[in-house]
Amino acid sequence: VSNLLVDIAQASHRVLLTQASPIDLRSNVAGKAYLAFRSGDRLSRPINKALFVFDENELLRRLAAFMNDRAAHLASADGPSTLYTIAMSYCAASDTVRLLDKKTPATYFEIFAGHLLADRFGANPQTSATVLNLDMKGDLPTDFIFDLGAGRSKFHVPIKISTRERVIQVWAHQRVLDGIYGAGRFRGLLVALTETKLDRKKLDVVEICLPDQWRVYQMFIAQLDRIYYLDPPAAYARLATGYPIVNVRPFSSFFSEADLLSGPS
Amino acid sequence: VSNLLVDIAQASHRVLLTQASPIDLRSNVAGKAYLAFRSGDRLSRPINKALFVFDENELLRRLAAFMNDRAAHLASADGPSTLYTIAMSYCAASDTVRLLDKKTPATYFEIFAGHLLADRFGANPQTSATVLNLDMKGDLPTDFIFDLGAGRSKFHVPIKISTRERVIQVWAHQRVLDGIYGAGRFRGLLVALTETKLDRKKLDVVEICLPDQWRVYQMFIAQLDRIYYLDPPAAYARLATGYPIVNVRPFSSFFSEADLLSGPS
């Protein structure tokens, strides 16, 4: 799977650089600058310039380092931009080839992040949990579940391109798992790409964030252990610094803290 | 608002009968027969024949009785089909006039059900709740909230054309209100039109229901007091008969039990 992801990243990156042209976007996000790739009347999603590796030779060097030791490379200073470039190359290239296809990038991103987690955990995910109760027995469909075995953590891992207004589902699913298995048995890790929104007429970019709602969910529905972003919005990153703590971090952090998270909670 | 709803129902019903033609659909739902109205290449959503008043004079009689005493008419044996015909006339007429417009019928249905509830409760709804906590103060946007005043119930009322996979949000919002205000302070009433799904090629109708997931939500996220349908699916209606109780009822029941629900819980 890593080989395939690297091949797809390389091919997508080449599609962007050779079959589309970059255009600058107006950023309404403090401290972030964006561009998009245009091909005919198709425009890619916004790309954060500081996180995207534009140079092909540099990307090839990164991909070789990634294949050589994935966890070490992703936990290094290069980690955030390597992760962002791999994920964004495919999603942006798809935007320039297929008009308004949202599903394929979402599926790709789930496989991308799910594989990296499985690789780091050394365990494959499941997508359902068993419900055992006095009156019912059955399988509840879930996002990815990683079970590292006896004495180690279990993880509930929803993976989304962006969270938007549906994110309350993530806390609600965490609550269901806490209810069925007991609080703390499953650590909730949400992985998201970005919260950018592009106005296709004005060509400006905003980040859509609802930090006060997240604080309410974290206090009253369930507790998520980590929310990882490939491009963390500042409004969410600040939630890690005050009560109620919502630990929003760059996805690259996962690759250094995975062992810590995998121990007894 | 009641006058407007009656005018819209009458005009929509006439559009269906005069500018569209009924075609029979194949029903895959036990005990229910459906038709749709077709106008050119536009096809309405499925209409449950047993609940829809086709005869215009009979509809006019119903609307006059409704205007004369809304609660009494809706609680009578005519209630279920009057409610269904008013709501479905507009939604189906909109389908035959505008291609795949989902938003207008959803907005209409929210106003329709919201008005009937406000009328019966004698209280207007709000759409936000105040969060007061040690570390934050603010307004949380919500579905309709009805506050009947000191010593009487408060209600949390989401209104949806159909629930589909997003219904977990309803239980999650109930959980947030329980957390902020204490369990039992807000009674959760969900109002939905139907769960039908039409295959536009095969012209057959199914009901999409996930009763086991609802039981899990009711056990582990929060407790909803009532789930009212204008066309209750049998798979959900059965949930009212075994643990965990999910009280699924026809919306017409609300108009007779509203006083009971409004007392101290």
Side-chain angles (χ1 to χ4, degrees):
Chain A
V1 180
S2 286
N3 277 318
L4 280 173
L5 287 173
V6 162
D7 289 349
I8 291 171
Q10 214 176 317
S12 304
H13 195 266
R14 191 161 294 167
V15 164
L16 288 175
L17 294 194
T18 61
Q19 295 172 33
S21 348
I23 57 165
D24 269 320
L25 302 173
R26 202 157 64 96
S27 169
N28 291 326
V29 183
K32 294 185 182 177
Y34 298 91
L35 58 72
F37 284 94
R38 192 205 293 272
S39 167
D41 57 353
R42 289 184 292 272
L43 191 64
S44 80
R45 64 198 64 203
I47 292 176
N48 182 334
K49 290 186 192 180
L51 281 171
F52 193 80
V53 177
F54 290 91
D55 183 74
E56 192 174 4
N57 288 326
E58 173 62 10
L59 178 64
L60 294 176
R61 190 189 69 73
R62 302 282 192 102
L63 295 176
F66 170 78
M67 284 311 294
N68 183 51
D69 185 340
R70 285 184 286 283
H73 178 68
L74 296 178
S76 78
D78 283 345
S81 48
T82 296
L83 285 167
Y84 186 83
T85 307
I86 294 176
M88 196 50 101
S89 290
Y90 176 79
C91 295
S94 165
D95 295 338
T96 66
V97 175
R98 282 188 262 203
L99 195 60
L100 298 179
D101 171 11
K102 283 187 177 172
K103 205 174 168 191
T104 318
T107 305
Y108 164 83
F109 186 65
E110 195 172 61
I111 293 167
F112 161 80
H115 167 68
L116 294 179
L117 288 154
D119 188 48
R120 183 68 180 80
F121 282 140
N124 277 322
Q126 306 148 236
T127 55
S128 72
T130 307
V131 180
L132 278 173
N133 205 269
L134 300 171
D135 301 281
M136 67 187 295
K137 189 191 277 193
D139 280 327
L140 181 74
T142 62
D143 295 291
F144 286 150
I145 294 283
F146 292 91
D147 183 347
L148 306 195
R152 301 182 69 209
S153 296
K154 301 176 201 308
F155 295 91
H156 163 228
V157 187
I159 298 171
K160 314 266 180 203
I161 292 269
S162 68
T163 67
R164 295 291 188 275
E165 69 281 356
R166 295 202 203 181
V167 73
I168 193 172
Q169 293 182 355
V170 172
W171 270 274
H173 283 133
Q174 181 66 40
R175 170 97 212 156
V176 167
L177 291 171
D178 290 351
I180 295 175
Y181 296 102
R185 284 304 294 286
F186 279 87
R187 287 178 182 269
L189 315 180
L190 167 61
V191 183
L193 177 51
T194 173
E195 298 295 351
T196 53
K197 186 173 159 59
L198 170 64
D199 183 318
R200 289 174 178 271
K201 282 184 189 156
K202 295 189 198 154
L203 295 180
D204 59 16
V205 182
V206 294
E207 278 182 340
I208 298 188
C209 297
L210 298 165
D212 282 347
Q213 295 195 16
W214 283 28
R215 298 171 73 199
V216 168
Y217 302 158
Q218 183 81 350
M219 284 193 285
F220 295 115
I221 302 179
Q223 281 70 56
L224 297 181
D225 256 56
R226 292 287 186 278
I227 297 181
Y228 292 119
Y229 273 97
L230 273 67
D231 179 12
Y236 287 150
R238 274 195 295 274
L239 293 176
T241 63
Y243 184 82
I245 300 288
V246 188
N247 251 317
V248 177
R249 301 190 181 181
F251 188 36
S252 54
S253 305
F254 166 76
F255 299 90
S256 39
E257 69 182 356
D259 292 331
L260 194 71
L261 291 171
S262 304
S265 46
Chain B
V1 180
S2 286
N3 278 318
L4 281 172
L5 288 173
V6 162
D7 290 348
I8 292 171
Q10 214 176 317
S12 305
H13 194 267
R14 190 161 295 167
V15 165
L16 288 175
L17 293 194
T18 60
Q19 295 173 33
S21 348
I23 57 167
D24 269 319
L25 303 173
R26 201 157 65 96
S27 170
N28 291 326
V29 183
K32 294 183 182 177
Y34 298 92
L35 57 73
F37 284 94
R38 192 205 294 270
S39 167
D41 58 352
R42 290 185 291 271
L43 190 65
S44 80
R45 64 197 65 202
I47 292 176
N48 183 333
K49 290 186 195 181
L51 281 172
F52 193 80
V53 177
F54 289 93
D55 182 73
E56 192 173 4
N57 288 326
E58 172 62 10
L59 178 64
L60 293 176
R61 191 191 67 75
R62 302 283 193 102
L63 295 176
F66 170 78
M67 285 310 295
N68 183 51
D69 185 340
R70 285 184 287 283
H73 178 67
L74 296 179
S76 79
D78 283 345
S81 48
T82 297
L83 285 167
Y84 187 84
T85 307
I86 295 177
M88 194 51 98
S89 290
Y90 176 78
C91 296
S94 165
D95 296 337
T96 66
V97 175
R98 282 188 261 202
L99 195 61
L100 298 180
D101 172 11
K102 283 186 178 174
K103 205 174 168 190
T104 318
T107 305
Y108 164 82
F109 186 67
E110 195 172 61
I111 293 168
F112 161 80
H115 167 68
L116 294 179
L117 288 154
D119 189 49
R120 184 67 180 81
F121 282 140
N124 277 321
Q126 307 149 236
T127 55
S128 72
T130 308
V131 181
L132 278 174
N133 205 269
L134 300 171
D135 300 281
M136 67 187 295
K137 187 190 280 194
D139 279 327
L140 181 74
T142 61
D143 295 291
F144 286 150
I145 295 285
F146 291 92
D147 183 347
L148 306 195
R152 301 183 68 209
S153 296
K154 301 176 200 309
F155 294 91
H156 162 228
V157 186
I159 298 171
K160 315 264 179 203
I161 292 270
S162 68
T163 66
R164 296 290 189 274
E165 70 281 357
R166 296 202 202 181
V167 74
I168 193 172
Q169 293 182 357
V170 173
W171 270 274
H173 283 133
Q174 182 65 39
R175 170 99 211 156
V176 167
L177 291 171
D178 290 351
I180 295 176
Y181 297 102
R185 285 303 295 286
F186 280 87
R187 287 178 183 269
L189 314 180
L190 167 62
V191 183
L193 176 51
T194 174
E195 298 295 352
T196 53
K197 186 173 159 62
L198 170 63
D199 183 317
R200 290 175 178 270
K201 282 184 190 156
K202 294 189 199 155
L203 295 180
D204 59 15
V205 182
V206 294
E207 278 181 338
I208 298 188
C209 297
L210 298 165
D212 283 346
Q213 295 194 16
W214 283 28
R215 298 171 74 199
V216 167
Y217 303 159
Q218 184 81 350
M219 284 193 284
F220 296 115
I221 301 180
Q223 280 71 56
L224 297 181
D225 255 56
R226 291 288 186 278
I227 298 181
Y228 292 118
Y229 273 97
L230 273 66
D231 179 11
Y236 287 150
R238 274 195 295 274
L239 293 175
T241 63
Y243 184 83
I245 301 288
V246 188
N247 251 317
V248 177
R249 301 191 180 180
F251 187 36
S252 54
S253 306
F254 165 76
F255 299 90
S256 40
E257 69 181 355
D259 293 330
L260 194 70
L261 291 171
S262 304
S265 48

